[in-house]
Amino acid sequence: MDFRNTPSRPSRRGFLALAAATGAATALGGLPTFAASAAPRRPTESPLLAADAAAKNQLWWQAPGSATSMIEQGLPVGNGRLGALASNDPGRELLMITDATLWTGGLNDTLESDGQFPYGRGDFGSLTLLATLAVDIPGHDLGAVDNYRRTLDLAQGLVTATYDIAGVTYQRQVFASRPDDAIVLHFSQQGRGTYTGVISLAGTHGESTTANSAGRYASFGASFANGLRYGAAVTAYSGTGKIAVTGTSISVTGCREFTVVVSGGTNYAPDATAGFRDPSVDPERLARSKVLAAARESARDLLHTHVADFRPVFEQFAVDLGTSSAAQRALDTWERAQARWRDNVPDPEFEAAYLQFGRYLLISGSRGSLPIGLQGPWLDGNDPDWMGDYHTDVNIQMTYWLADRGGLSDTFDAFADYCVAQLPAWTDVTQRLFNSPTNRFRNSSGRIAGWAVAFSTNPYGGSGWWWHPSGNAWLCQNLFEHYEYTQDRAYLAKVYPVLKGAVQFWETRLVTTTVTDASGATREVLVADRDWSAEHGPQDTRGNTYSQELVWNLFENYRTATRVLGRDTGYGETIDGLRQRLYLPEVSPTTGWLQEWMSPDNLGETTHRHLSPLIGLFPGDRIRPDGSTPKEIIAGVTALLTARGMNSFGWANAWRSLCWARLKDAEKAYQLVVTNLRPSTNGSNGTAMNLFDIYETNPGRGIFQIDANLGTPAAIVEMLVYSRPGRVELLPALPAAWAAAGSVSGVGVRGGFVADLSWRDGTVTEVRLTSVGGRSTTLTAGGASRRITLKPGESVTVRSL
Amino acid sequence: MQQPSTPRRRLRTGAGRRRIRPGVPLVAAAVAVLLGAGAVPAQAAPAASPAPSDAAPTTVGLAERPFMGWTSWSMQSSKYPGLNPDGDYSYLTEANVLKQADALATKLKPFGYEYVNIDAGWWRDNAWVPTFDEYARQTPDPVRFPRGMKAVANHIHGKGLKAGIYLPVGLEKEAYANGAAPIWNAAGCATADIVYPDLRTTNGWDSAYKLNFDNPCAQKYIDSQAQMFADWGYDFLKLDGVGPGSFKSGDNYNNVADVAAWQKAIATAGRPIHLELSWSLDINHAADWKRYSNGWRIDTDVECYCNTLVSWENSVDDRFADAPAWSRKAGPGGWNDLDSLNVGNGEMDGLTRAERQTYATLWAISKSPLYTGDDITRLDDYGLSLLTNREVIAIDQNGGAPARPVSVAGDQQVWGARNPDGSYTVALFNLGDAPASVTAHWAAFGFTGNASVRDVWNSRNLGTQKNAITAALPAHGSRLFTVRPGTPLATTSYEAESPANTLSGNASVAGCDACSGGQKVGNLYLGGTVRFNNVTVRKAGIYTVTLAYVSGDARSATVSSNSGNGTSVAFPSTGDWGTAETISVQLALNAGANTITVDSGTWYSPDIDKIDVPQTL
């Protein structure tokens, strides 16, 4: 072992300093509202990557999208709050723009006759589109352009399209700037070309756009029935040609280059006591002031400001899974997806790019506003499936499994802040409604405390569809794990009330029952009250594995939190006493599987999408294939996972992959990643042209669900690094396809570390562990282990374990 | 088009549009239909019916190239505002025909358009009631054509154009006159003598009694119609509702004898008349149509019978599936007719710009007759440019064979043909509803390396392109290139029948005159596979692998290399079970030995002759 303690490496962190210099601070608990902000500081030097350096993290295509194919072909940009899909059609650039807070609906606290929540776009609500922006350039019909190419630069957060017409090369860039809080489109050309066209901004709920010729902007504003105000504005400018307001549009005539700036938002506020509104915000007016402020800057400065903000975040993590062939590199992204499936030849660079695309989405969709729901801020209409909401029985949890693993801890804040902001409403609704006599899931004890949610939640404290009693524990699992990664006590203190409320809920919900062990001895145990094993099987069973595991995890984490924070420590011990009395699942003598219910029988669908009974394997880690868990439990878990099968869809495949990674079956874990990369055709399950994950709801109808785009990358990372407090294992499930040589850096490690490692021929050649708060852990690779002790900020590099 | 009798609008749900497609659930009835169609793998279908021994040769000099012109039917059949003010199908009048003839002469004649074709209804009033002369021959409706048909032809000829006219096949029921109408210039013949005693009906609408050519009077009746048209000065006749075809099959609808009689009648009428057959002619009788006529509609009407002239789905896009079967049936003297080319006015046509270009591209590379049904007085600039692109017209008129698909990746298709001058016509199509890039690999055409490329529609030389060309196509879009090849591609052939291969399921080796080595592998259905073993290349990479196959109908197979999942290939029909064609796929191969597998999966695949694998990348 070559062992060397060093001070924290400055290089990667140096970029963080650059980011801070732009004024785009990433403080905890920032207000996720559309608000006035100080003028960004502009970088004095270009932060742009050189072309060859940028190419490593670029996806590219040889065709644009169109108005009817945005979900499959639109390229996503986002500043963490505003998201847009861009068509990049030369003759008609189209942006479908979503603000993460543009939700209909409300508290939704009138239960239906069965004690469950309404789930409609009026009552519960739905995420909706803010606006469409079109830039029509009639002379640039796609049928007449050559060498069309568009690129999604993941590292710099930049969409670029280029094409030739009659010897002139035209280029457009689209980016969503967080520092300038706007989406920018810059059109330029090389040659003697000019642009003539029309820029149109339109609402999607019947608003009227008005234009101001003196101000050279167009805008609209309106409000929903729920009182939410919203608005958007666009302006354009050029150093050549003519830009003028024509009717409600902006015309561009004979411009050698021009720039379009669009912004918008709502008066949503993450404050239950204020009814989730900030009455001081006039969104249309604010949008106007933002676009006009940005338009005082050159397009170059806007781009540099954006890249200086985006790139350092992206570069907190890097991955190299091996070298692809020249033939693969010659293919565009869609061709590569097709070839990967057709030929079954590993394409390590493409597979790494898919991981980075997930990180790109997280950066673009989860900074400074509401968290990413089922689609993030990337809609193509006002009726997203399942409202584009927050699903609490795997989807939102999976979405955030990537954050810490993928070097994007800060993107987790949107999720944590959401839970904290919703807590008062969740608590109020739970305590008023959960024990309604018509709610089949009510507490038999008749007592109620803390909070719970339904399967769906909105940003107004509202729940939708059925109560989901275990959902609170699962949300808390994510919240606590983020603490484990960061060791950030201030963060833990922030989310502590959320954890405690969930614990209190469960304290009133557990019931006692008597079980008989294999030996014939009986004992009294605590079990969860009547419930459903997340969308699967009977709806009135007690002690479901799903609930038992989640509550076990919640109680354990809670006790840790009380100790870390020095709060409620006595209560923490009480709760841990309950944890020790929890019934834990057994292996069925009938099926050989870990039981999903307190029954040896298979009460559900063998290949059901959910892996609820495996939640103690992943995302939990009570079940560990390291000798500490009885081997018959490991065998039962393996048998159940095997029975669930290898052929589901998006998030279900990602979860399976994560479980196989935990079981160190690298090839199965990899196969599921590959299955998710399968090109989607006619809505079939798999990956769309723009790499969005598509779930086939009905034959021929596929929808975008973002969770697999983030969960599959999480699985890739989990194949490379496993961690829990006190232990980090390198390359636990490295598939042959990536074994030759590779590296990954910036991987979050539970216990408060970041790992950078490289390998060759399947063996770790070097690892650097940096403490972000952690003090000691055991580093394991290839069967060898080493105890590591570091001070926060210190690094250690190990060359041969 | 169809003569609109009862109902006027031909329904598009007829049997002619039904075909066995991959993915149809496997049911006993469907299998019976498939086998009954003579499409048993590895067995040739029955040949077309034998030609009558007294058949006359094809009229010399007509249709040396696909004809060009205008037809009245597209506007007649449309509900586009203002076209048919006096009721459905009322557009057809002398005034409108002459107006279009004049516009054709001015705008399109310089580009080769010359036929002005009057379609159905010239002998019917606006209530669709027909008029016949005393000899049971159609006679012009006096409201539509107050000066009669001869005056119209004269006017057309005066513009340097040619005149076309129309008839349904058979003796129209209303002309029967209780069997008593005499036949012109045929002593002793009456309508009763020219039909069957049971008055069996024929044609696509059952609107006529089938002619009985066992009685010489029937030929006389055709002679009398031909002579009438010749006397009026017509140069072109569209004979409609012809079967087998026109969504009909069976003896009563076999109009081969009618078509032969028309050819004979025209030969004696003293005036060359181009004979065009309609619609959806049965490809199993292609030899008959080729022998007796100058062109045949391969498909249903392109018109939509809606508020525009056509629409993409109804039914421009049908031709992509239906044209390949006919690609070897056309040539000088008789061409595959894809129906009218309605691309001249976007609003009236009901198509996007991209769809209009694609429409014109398919017609040109298919060597279809080019006749528009647009209002030539109202062509928009883009429409005029499409109809008058001399390079595109030259492709249509170059006398070469129609293009075929050379690679079909779902909705993204590459079609091509070798031109008489040694260059290649290469068309890229995106039939999908969203933009897509499409790549033509030179290897699919048998050459490699650098080739010079001309973008035909955009009139631009794109210079030298190495190995392939890619273009971004809008939904339903296309690109049309002329490519001058560089180096021939060296390939290694692997015969399907080689004993080195592995067959599974019912796959078996069968004789095949059209195949290299005289053999092929057939019976590839319901899981049957042929695996080529030891396909060897020196360098790992993605190769353009070309499959030679025989398939009397369109079929599919999954083609894969090594452990790959493969690609589902739609094999267009080769037209019959005695013709081999090729289609190319992209497959990764390792350096050294590989396997390539053709798997029928859950349905029926073509018979495989061989594969050709490039020796170099």
Side-chain angles (χ1 to χ4, degrees):
Chain A
M1 174 176 270
D2 174 2
F3 191 79
R4 188 158 55 93
N5 274 7
T6 53
S8 178
R9 179 184 54 181
S11 57
R12 195 173 65 237
R13 311 295 162 195
F15 268 120
L16 288 175
L18 176 60
T22 67
T26 52
L28 281 176
L31 278 183
T33 48
F34 185 43
S37 50
R41 280 170 55 192
R42 308 285 170 192
T44 52
E45 290 176 19
S46 170
L48 297 181
L49 286 166
D52 56 339
K56 178 171 159 46
N57 286 301
Q58 286 177 344
L59 308 173
W60 64 285
W61 295 265
Q62 295 173 99
S66 69
T68 56
S69 69
M70 296 298 272
I71 282 295
E72 299 83 15
Q73 292 187 300
L75 295 188
V77 295
N79 72 353
R81 174 182 68 83
L82 273 180
L85 292 168
S87 76
N88 305 137
D89 187 322
R92 176 163 229 246
E93 181 63 68
L94 177 68
L95 262 59
M96 288 184 167
I97 302 169
T98 302
D99 178 302
T101 66
L102 193 65
W103 268 83
T104 59
L107 189 60
N108 198 35
D109 61 346
T110 303
L111 295 182
E112 297 192 324
S113 58
D114 61 356
Q116 309 304 318
F117 291 97
Y119 190 46
R121 293 183 199 280
D123 38 39
F124 171 78
S126 175
L127 181 61
T128 64
L129 270 179
L130 173 64
T132 60
L133 177 78
V135 182
D136 286 289
I137 305 167
H140 292 198
D141 190 285
L142 184 60
V145 312
D146 296 317
N147 301 318
Y148 180 89
R149 180 185 171 112
R150 61 180 176 149
T151 303
L152 177 59
D153 186 321
L154 302 172
Q156 304 186 93
L158 180 61
V159 169
T160 303
T162 59
Y163 54 89
D164 298 340
I165 301 176
V168 179
T169 297
Y170 294 87
Q171 183 190 70
R172 70 186 58 166
Q173 295 172 311
V174 183
F175 55 93
S177 169
R178 205 164 80 101
D180 282 290
D181 202 12
I183 297 169
V184 179
L185 302 85
H186 179 59
F187 296 78
S188 59
Q189 51 81 42
Q190 286 181 302
R192 292 169 172 270
T194 59
Y195 291 93
T196 294
V198 176
I199 302 161
S200 316
L201 177 72
T204 68
H205 302 87
E207 305 84 351
S208 295
T209 300
T210 57
N212 180 305
S213 54
R216 275 202 221 148
Y217 62 75
S219 65
F220 68 81
S223 60
F224 284 152
N226 66 9
L228 186 76
R229 295 179 71 192
Y230 61 94
V234 63
T235 189
Y237 56 104
S238 173
T240 64
K242 186 181 166 195
I243 305 259
V245 164
T246 309
T248 60
S249 303
I250 300 172
S251 65
V252 176
T253 308
C255 294
R256 293 193 177 282
E257 54 75 36
F258 69 103
T259 305
V260 181
V261 183
V262 61
S263 187
T266 75
N267 70 344
Y268 177 83
D271 182 350
T273 61
F276 295 102
R277 303 285 183 276
D278 181 348
S280 71
V281 172
D282 176 345
E284 181 180 9
R285 187 179 204 152
L286 186 55
R288 271 187 220 146
S289 72
K290 283 182 186 274
V291 299
L292 293 174
R296 285 192 286 273
E297 309 294 331
S298 70
R300 191 200 62 162
D301 284 352
L302 292 175
L303 175 63
H304 286 184
T305 305
H306 161 67
V307 173
D309 170 64
F310 194 97
R311 186 182 143 205
V313 180
F314 182 86
E315 291 182 344
Q316 288 168 181
F317 176 102
V319 62
D320 174 359
L321 298 175
T323 305
S324 296
S325 69
Q328 289 166 331
R329 288 177 174 178
L331 303 175
D332 72 27
T333 295
W334 182 233
E335 292 170 331
R336 260 172 119 153
Q338 292 173 311
R340 177 66 189 82
W341 182 255
R342 181 190 67 211
D343 298 329
N344 194 27
V345 174
D347 188 345
E349 292 171 1
F350 175 63
E351 291 149 18
Y354 183 82
L355 188 171
Q356 292 289 27
F357 178 67
R359 294 185 65 246
Y360 171 87
L361 293 177
L362 202 50
I363 299 168
S364 303
S366 186
R367 289 202 293 165
S369 184
L370 286 170
I372 286 177
L374 291 174
Q375 293 189 201
W378 295 293
L379 306 185
D380 66 345
N382 288 329
D383 54 353
D385 289 77
W386 298 290
M387 323 300 177
D389 68 19
Y390 304 109
H391 259 50
T392 60
D393 64 336
V394 74
N395 310 89
I396 191 167
Q397 289 91 349
M398 177 175 286
T399 292
Y400 284 93
W401 289 340
L402 180 61
D404 288 296
R405 284 180 180 80
L408 296 173
S409 274
D410 291 346
T411 64
F412 192 87
D413 292 340
F415 170 73
D417 290 343
Y418 167 76
C419 293
V420 170
Q422 301 297 306
L423 182 63
W426 286 349
T427 303
D428 164 54
V429 170
T430 300
Q431 298 196 1
R432 282 193 285 122
L433 302 180
F434 185 78
N435 272 350
S436 298
T438 51
N439 175 18
R440 71 197 320 168
F441 306 120
R442 69 188 179 279
N443 290 340
S444 317
S445 69
R447 295 193 294 141
I448 187 73
W451 63 277
V453 289
F455 282 100
S456 286
T457 61
N458 70 18
Y460 301 129
S463 273
W465 196 41
W466 292 8
W467 286 101
H468 177 211
S470 302
N472 55 10
W474 201 349
L475 294 173
C476 287
Q477 183 180 63
N478 278 63
L479 292 174
F480 188 79
E481 280 201 347
H482 182 63
Y483 165 74
E484 291 182 324
Y485 281 106
T486 62
Q487 299 293 305
D488 181 339
R489 282 197 182 126
Y491 161 80
L492 186 61
K494 181 174 74 173
V495 300
Y496 179 78
V498 184
L499 304 181
K500 185 175 179 181
V503 166
Q504 290 171 321
F505 175 84
W506 279 99
E507 197 187 3
T508 65
R509 182 163 173 79
L510 294 171
V511 296
T512 56
T513 192
T514 302
V515 294
T516 306
D517 291 338
S519 64
T522 59
R523 61 193 166 95
E524 191 175 77
V525 292
L526 287 175
V527 294
D529 218 332
R530 296 184 196 287
D531 199 355
W532 195 21
S533 185
E535 308 185 26
H536 188 208
Q539 295 161 10
D540 57 354
T541 45
R542 283 177 167 165
N544 296 339
T545 298
Y546 175 62
S547 305
Q548 298 301 118
E549 294 277 16
L550 283 171
V551 174
W552 191 92
N553 180 264
L554 173 70
F555 285 2
E556 183 183 50
N557 290 342
Y558 178 70
R559 184 181 59 161
T560 306
T562 61
R563 289 177 171 179
V564 169
L565 297 174
R567 285 162 66 174
D568 301 327
T569 48
Y571 184 55
E573 294 307 319
T574 301
I575 292 303
D576 197 55
L578 297 180
R579 181 182 67 85
Q580 291 172 29
R581 293 167 58 201
L582 285 169
Y583 168 79
L584 289 172
E586 299 165 2
V587 174
S588 162
T590 309
T591 60
W593 306 342
L594 190 73
Q595 290 179 180
E596 182 160 1
W597 302 274
M598 292 181 74
S599 163
D601 299 327
N602 177 7
L603 305 178
E605 304 161 39
T606 300
T607 59
H608 194 267
R609 57 193 177 276
H610 279 268
L611 300 182
S612 301
L614 294 171
I615 204 159
L617 175 67
F618 190 93
D621 63 5
R622 191 187 65 82
I623 299 168
R624 300 168 178 173
D626 60 1
S628 64
T629 299
K631 63 179 188 300
E632 57 270 24
I633 295 287
I634 298 296
V637 161
T638 306
L640 176 60
L641 184 56
T642 302
R644 281 291 210 257
M646 298 287 288
N647 191 20
S648 197
F649 61 90
W651 62 254
N653 286 333
W655 195 356
R656 281 159 173 72
S657 179
L658 283 152
C659 284
W660 283 118
R662 281 280 165 95
L663 292 173
K664 304 187 185 184
D665 190 323
E667 298 311 321
K668 282 200 172 69
Y670 177 62
Q671 187 185 329
L672 286 152
V673 170
V674 171
T675 299
N676 273 358
L677 286 171
R678 179 180 188 165
S680 170
T681 54
N682 296 323
S684 66
N685 293 331
T687 291
M689 197 177 288
N690 60 4
L691 299 193
F692 274 2
D693 191 80
I694 300 298
Y695 165 53
E696 185 174 51
T697 56
N698 307 107
R701 180 174 183 271
I703 64 160
F704 168 43
Q705 260 187 250
I706 203 170
D707 29 45
N709 277 111
L710 303 164
T712 310
I716 294 174
V717 180
E718 192 72 21
M719 292 157 73
L720 305 177
V721 177
Y722 163 77
S723 70
R724 65 171 186 264
R727 183 180 177 90
V728 51
E729 182 169 354
L730 307 178
L731 306 182
L734 183 71
W738 304 335
S743 64
V744 62
S745 62
V747 180
V749 168
R750 286 162 70 200
F753 302 92
V754 171
D756 309 342
L757 64 143
S758 50
W759 65 88
R760 184 166 294 280
D761 299 327
T763 303
V764 175
T765 52
E766 179 175 306
V767 55
R768 181 205 305 258
L769 212 56
T770 302
S771 168
V772 297
R775 297 194 174 265
S776 70
T777 191
T778 298
L779 183 65
T780 301
S785 293
R786 171 66 62 163
R787 190 82 186 156
I788 302 285
T789 303
L790 291 171
K791 294 196 182 86
E794 270 187 345
S795 291
V796 60
T797 299
V798 181
R799 290 226 165 73
S800 56
L801 201 67
Chain B
M1 86 71 292
Q2 62 295 7
Q3 168 205 31
S5 51
T6 314
R8 288 186 177 184
R9 188 200 187 303
R10 171 184 42 64
L11 298 176
R12 292 188 179 276
T13 52
R17 289 171 66 83
R18 258 184 246 134
R19 59 201 70 231
I20 302 298
R21 291 190 188 281
V24 173
L26 179 58
V27 292
V31 173
V33 168
L34 187 76
L35 300 182
V40 180
Q43 291 185 7
S49 54
S53 56
D54 60 345
T58 303
T59 310
V60 174
L62 287 175
E64 279 301 304
R65 293 291 183 264
F67 81 87
M68 298 172 66
W70 175 83
T71 177
S72 64
W73 187 251
S74 299
M75 284 192 280
Q76 270 182 274
S77 65
S78 176
K79 311 247 186 258
Y80 186 83
L83 289 180
N84 290 281
D86 299 322
D88 288 349
Y89 310 105
S90 64
Y91 175 85
L92 184 64
T93 63
E94 176 184 314
N96 280 334
V97 169
L98 298 189
K99 184 172 85 170
Q100 297 299 327
D102 292 352
L104 186 77
T106 307
K107 296 184 184 176
L108 300 180
K109 179 167 175 278
F111 301 89
Y113 293 83
E114 61 177 345
Y115 285 89
V116 178
N117 292 338
I118 294 164
D119 210 280
W122 56 269
W123 69 102
R124 289 178 180 266
D125 67 13
N126 284 340
W128 216 245
V129 177
T131 311
F132 297 92
D133 68 10
E134 61 185 300
Y135 302 111
R137 296 182 296 187
Q138 289 80 354
T139 195
D141 175 61
V143 174
R144 293 181 190 265
F145 293 97
R147 295 191 296 147
M149 305 315 291
K150 188 174 172 65
V152 176
N154 285 345
H155 181 103
I156 292 168
H157 290 149
K159 294 286 180 183
L161 302 171
K162 289 180 174 161
I165 200 157
Y166 171 101
L167 277 184
V169 71
L171 175 69
E172 285 196 280
K173 289 175 180 173
E174 301 96 323
Y176 184 58
N178 291 320
I183 305 303
W184 178 80
N185 196 30
C189 293
T191 45
D193 302 315
I194 67 173
V195 298
Y196 289 88
D198 60 1
L199 295 179
R200 66 191 64 172
T201 58
T202 194
N203 83 26
W205 316 271
D206 281 310
S207 69
Y209 298 128
K210 183 172 172 62
L211 295 176
N212 176 6
F213 289 97
D214 288 342
N215 187 326
C217 293
Q219 179 69 49
K220 286 290 188 184
Y221 177 64
I222 302 297
D223 290 347
S224 76
Q225 290 178 304
Q227 192 61 56
M228 177 177 76
F229 290 149
D231 290 348
W232 289 347
Y234 281 84
D235 309 294
F236 177 104
L237 171 67
K238 172 173 163 184
L239 191 65
D240 205 359
V242 175
S246 303
F247 300 171
K248 300 282 192 185
S249 58
D251 289 346
N252 288 5
Y253 303 97
N254 185 325
N255 301 120
V256 172
D258 299 75
V259 178
W262 268 103
Q263 186 191 55
K264 206 166 162 183
I266 289 168
T268 59
R271 183 179 183 88
I273 298 176
H274 176 122
L275 179 61
E276 192 81 1
L277 308 179
S278 182
W279 82 89
S280 291
L281 275 301
D282 182 348
I283 194 170
N284 293 315
H285 284 271
D288 294 323
W289 316 136
K290 204 168 161 81
R291 179 179 299 263
Y292 299 121
S293 78
N294 305 112
W296 39 87
R297 284 266 310 279
I298 66 162
D299 214 329
T300 184
D301 287 7
V302 75
E303 289 87 3
C304 63
Y305 298 81
C306 65
N307 288 334
T308 53
L309 301 188
V310 297
S311 69
W312 177 253
E313 291 84 7
N314 194 2
S315 61
V316 175
D317 67 347
D318 282 6
R319 276 72 182 157
F320 286 91
D322 295 331
W326 293 86
S327 67
R328 300 296 177 241
K329 312 299 185 191
W335 301 93
N336 300 326
D337 183 344
L338 273 57
D339 206 357
S340 54
L341 178 59
N342 300 322
V343 299
N345 178 313
E347 188 196 331
M348 200 185 293
D349 297 333
L351 298 172
T352 67
R353 281 169 69 106
E355 289 166 347
R356 294 157 73 192
Q357 178 182 301
T358 297
Y359 188 169
T361 302
L362 181 67
W363 264 237
I365 67 171
S366 298
K367 314 301 162 76
S368 173
L370 300 181
Y371 55 98
T372 176
D374 286 309
D375 183 344
I376 303 171
T377 67
R378 294 165 67 184
L379 301 178
D380 59 32
D381 289 348
Y382 184 66
L384 185 65
S385 76
L386 291 173
L387 290 170
T388 60
N389 185 307
R390 289 189 188 275
E391 292 182 61
V392 176
I393 292 170
I395 288 170
D396 178 75
Q397 301 281 311
N398 73 13
R404 286 188 60 82
V406 299
S407 69
V408 178
D411 287 329
Q412 286 73 51
Q413 304 187 355
V414 179
W415 291 48
R418 190 169 191 275
N419 298 324
D421 68 358
S423 66
Y424 286 79
T425 292
V426 176
L428 312 185
F429 293 109
N430 171 25
L431 305 184
D433 296 333
S437 63
V438 182
T439 298
H441 296 273
W442 298 160
F445 295 86
F447 54 93
T448 187
N450 290 331
S452 73
V453 177
R454 169 96 176 148
D455 180 339
V456 178
W457 282 116
N458 290 310
S459 303
R460 285 205 295 263
N461 290 322
L462 301 183
T464 296
Q465 304 283 328
K466 188 179 178 187
N467 292 342
I469 188 163
T470 299
L473 305 184
H476 307 160
S478 57
R479 279 295 174 94
L480 179 59
F481 302 117
T482 297
V483 180
R484 296 193 177 276
T487 319
L489 178 72
T491 60
T492 302
S493 293
Y494 298 85
E495 293 292 341
E497 64 270 22
S498 164
N501 296 342
T502 306
L503 309 188
S504 71
N506 291 321
S508 60
V509 174
C512 171
D513 290 345
C515 298
S516 72
Q519 289 185 306
K520 64 184 179 182
V521 168
N523 283 324
L524 288 165
Y525 62 93
L526 304 181
T529 66
V530 51
R531 188 178 77 212
F532 294 80
N533 296 314
N534 295 316
V535 175
T536 307
V537 293
R538 262 181 259 160
K539 199 177 161 192
I542 297 174
Y543 285 80
T544 299
V545 175
T546 299
L547 297 101
Y549 69 101
V550 176
S551 194
D553 47 27
R555 295 188 173 196
S556 66
T558 298
V559 183
S560 60
S561 58
N562 301 321
S563 69
N565 296 292
T567 183
S568 178
V569 179
F571 290 84
S573 171
T574 56
D576 52 50
W577 288 95
T579 303
E581 300 284 2
T582 62
I583 196 101
S584 293
V585 298
Q586 301 293 304
L587 290 174
L589 298 176
N590 302 319
N594 297 268
T595 64
I596 292 178
T597 305
V598 180
D599 187 341
S600 58
T602 58
W603 202 234
Y604 284 72
S605 294
D607 299 347
I608 303 298
D609 171 14
K610 61 166 181 167
I611 60 173
D612 288 321
V613 180
Q615 292 172 0
T616 53
L617 270 174

